[in-house]
Amino acid sequence: MTDTIFAPATAAGRSAVAVVRLSGPATGRAVAALAGGLPQPRMAALRTLRDQAGAAIDQALVLWFTGPKSYTGEDCAEFHVHGGPAVVAGLLEALAALGLRLADPGEFTRRAFENGKLDLAQAEGVADLIEAETEAQRRQALHQLGGALGHAQTRWRDALIEALAMFEAAVDFPDEEVPSDVAARARPVLADLIADLEHALVHVKRGEQVREGFRIALIGAPNAGKSTILNALAGREAAIVTATPGTTRDIIEVPMRFGGYKALLADTAGLRETHDEIEAEGVRRARAWAGDADLRIWVVDGASDAPATAPDLHPHDLCVINKADLPSGAETGHALVEARAFGVEALRLSAKSSGDIAALEHALETRVVDALAGAELPTATRLRHRELLAEALERLQRALVLEDDLELAAEDVRLAGRALDRITGRIDPEDVLDRVFSSFCIGK
Ligand code: GDP
């Protein structure tokens, strides 16, 4: 039998009100013991909460929900108490004394999932909504909580079942009443489904970028001004600025916002040949981070005569020729040629001029908004979804090619269905569920 759990649902510390929630079969008994009786279900009631010795803990608003009409689907209750740490501690102690157990992170939502109140993708939407810092993250999380991915998955599932039925019919009755072209009739169904999954996969990248932040790397030779630019954009001294080359050795990531979207701006070790092992590792990490980033800013010291060699750049990246307040160095022209070869726009500026930094900020904002804004909200939003979609897609593509071997094709369609079912957690091993729910906070 399931046990009864409790946890504070509001953040620790002082607040006007703190909420402690309960879920499980002993909830009613616990509420009656603390509040001197059960209030009407779903109606707020003001009660004095008392511990087992009869001492008052606090006056509280008590809410009692009978399952299955509750968040978890079980009997649930909420105590809204004054948000002082001693009040909350006293209430938690009294609940433990009644034999109830403190909930694990995400356990309320896990119970909701297990009782069919929401699917796994919606549960992830709950976690994302709690984590949401930007409006874009909030919109996306709400969309997911609304069941967008589950609805898409139901559509995909119907198409799979249709295709599978055709394959199986052809396998079971090879030359009898089933028309010989039955497998060929499955082809357009599979092709449509493949197009649908490809579409979802295109958007999942955007979903991940909105959730986790758009990754922007500052990369270039030591002393070009990367740390100065990072600090100027961040509006604080996040990175150390010195005239000594090779100072930044690890990656400094600063969370920022551009156009209402979360971004991660990273200062990386200056790219140069070095015999210093630690610095060499820094350079390796810098290249790796920049390679995976969504946008690179190649920073060039515009006052230097040292040769400027471009790192690997992509067409929407930016090149900044820095130190425009100083006389131009001999290599500036060469850097511009290199940037142009990658199709990258170059901005000449001084990291020490606030007007120039505002122009750079504007250029970054345009790029972030162009990449992340879309008329359509992504339905799939995280790595877990991306991997399962990719697996299903691969299976279906193979099924399409294997049409001559109907049994193998049918098996691939079946396995594609399994991958898709795992998106909503319809079938999923415990460890996957453990991983998803352990990322939640306690009380959710
Ligand atoms: P990093 O190694 O690329 O991170 O470069 P830093 O940001 O540490 O800057 C190296 C040196 O160049 C420091 O002494 C900065 O003050 C200086 N610097 C950075 N940007 C400018 C600029 O636009 N103009 C001038 N005159 N100096 C700059």
Side-chain angles (χ1 to χ4, degrees), residues 425-441:
R426 209 188 276 257
I427 47 157
D428 231 327
E430 278 298 286
D431 59 328
V432 174
L433 298 179
D434 285 348
R435 205 163 29 196
V436 170
F437 287 103
S438 66
S439 67
F440 280 58
C441 45

Side-chain angles (χ1 to χ4, degrees), residues 140-303:
Q140 183 168 294
L142 260 185
H143 187 57
Q144 195 165 330
L145 181 56
L149 194 47
H151 297 147
Q153 199 248 6
T154 307
R155 213 173 54 234
W156 298 332
R157 201 163 205 277
D158 290 348
L160 272 175
I161 291 171
E162 193 182 339
L164 197 57
M166 293 187 205
F167 278 123
E168 281 174 349
V171 172
D172 291 344
F173 310 95
D175 9 75
E176 291 160 38
E177 60 269 34
V178 176
S180 58
D181 66 340
V182 78
R185 291 210 323 238
R187 178 176 272 273
V189 178
L190 286 184
D192 278 356
L193 181 56
I194 286 173
D196 235 18
L197 295 183
E198 278 170 345
H199 182 78
L201 264 171
V202 168
H203 291 287
V204 73
K205 180 83 190 139
R206 197 155 56 88
E208 285 178 68
Q209 288 167 335
V210 166
R211 277 187 63 240
E212 289 165 15
F214 192 81
R215 291 153 62 92
I216 305 172
L218 287 157
I219 190 151
N223 251 6
K226 299 180 294 299
S227 305
T228 309
I229 291 174
L230 177 95
N231 291 342
L233 284 170
R236 66 187 173 90
E237 301 295 302
I240 302 167
V241 174
T242 67
T244 317
T247 317
T248 308
R249 292 177 165 194
D250 217 339
I251 290 158
I252 297 170
E253 291 179 26
V254 180
M256 298 207 37
R257 278 185 202 198
F258 291 105
Y261 292 96
K262 181 176 173 184
L264 281 177
L265 185 62
D267 187 14
T268 63
L271 302 178
R272 66 167 175 181
E273 293 297 326
T274 170
H275 295 297
D276 178 327
E277 244 178 71
I278 301 175
E279 192 185 347
E281 175 60 19
V283 171
R284 199 192 59 71
R285 287 185 194 186
R287 288 193 196 280
W289 208 99
D292 289 342
D294 302 308
L295 182 80
R296 283 141 293 272
I297 307 173
W298 176 33
V299 184
V300 178
D301 184 342

